[in-house]
Amino acid sequence: MSLQAARPLDPWRWMGAPALICLAATLLLGLPFRLLGLQLPEPVFPMICVFSWAVIRPSILSPVVILLIGLVLDLLWGTPFGLWGLSMLIGYGLTLAMRAMMTGQSRMMMWIWYVGVTAVVLVAGFLFTMLHSGATPNVVGVVWQLLATGLLYPFAHRLIDRFDDADVRFR
């Protein structure tokens, strides 16, 4: 056991790098490439950051970065400006509100929380799209996106494990 004090969190290491990696992965899977005639899945990679940042610690910078990532997703995916930013901020707020209940949970329980928060974000996006366009988006597409995004939890778990105890003031 180390008696050394926890290192302070460097915003670039726990926020900047993961955000850029998620955007790069989104760009990569957004390329018009087909494998055996099928389009690659389009998971919402930034959900890794949305969930992890709220679990790791509250921050003033997190919502700003989430909003910026959401605006980039809107540009990439051609959705109404603000749709993904607002949807992901709802997920961030929900995770932040439930953070105390999540502390100390098993990996499987955290995965369930992650999928639940992802479902809330996608349902919010679904409803915002419906309100904006006046038409119902493809429900099957939303379910596939939920499944693809839910499979990304191991990356969120790794980010949480890496920085969870970095700042003991928030534990």
Side-chain angles (χ1 to χ4, degrees):
M1 181 185 301
S2 172
L3 297 176
Q4 188 176 25
R7 292 183 326 205
L9 286 175
D10 175 23
W12 171 250
R13 288 183 55 226
W14 78 282
M15 288 180 69
L20 290 177
I21 291 169
C22 287
L23 287 175
T26 301
L27 276 172
L28 183 65
L29 285 183
L31 293 174
F33 177 75
R34 293 192 177 271
L35 185 63
L36 301 173
L38 300 172
Q39 184 177 349
L40 294 174
E42 288 187 5
V44 184
F45 280 100
M47 278 305 300
I48 296 168
C49 297
V50 168
F51 186 78
S52 300
W53 293 342
V55 170
I56 292 170
R57 72 177 258 197
S59 170
I60 293 173
L61 286 177
S62 296
V64 173
V65 176
I66 289 168
L67 183 61
L68 291 174
I69 291 171
L71 296 176
V72 171
L73 287 182
D74 291 333
L75 291 173
L76 289 174
W77 290 341
T79 56
F81 211 55
L83 177 120
W84 282 107
L86 181 58
S87 297
M88 289 191 303
L89 283 174
I90 289 170
Y92 178 79
L94 176 65
T95 306
L96 207 53
M98 302 302 225
R99 182 174 183 259
M101 292 174 47
M102 291 182 209
T103 303
Q105 296 291 329
S106 69
R107 183 176 179 152
M108 185 55 68
M109 245 352 263
M110 289 297 286
W111 200 329
I112 292 168
W113 278 107
Y114 173 79
V115 171
V117 169
T118 301
V120 167
V121 168
L122 293 177
V123 166
F126 180 88
L127 293 174
F128 294 147
T129 301
M130 211 165 66
L131 286 172
H132 181 265
S133 67
T136 304
N138 184 354
V139 177
V140 175
V142 174
V143 171
W144 279 116
Q145 195 169 31
L146 173 63
L147 291 174
T149 306
L151 292 175
L152 297 176
Y153 175 73
F155 297 108
H157 183 76
R158 179 164 179 190
L159 188 62
I160 292 166
D161 272 354
R162 183 171 181 168
F163 295 109
D164 193 28
D165 295 323
D167 195 343
V168 294
R169 293 177 295 166
F170 297 102
R171 276 280 147 211

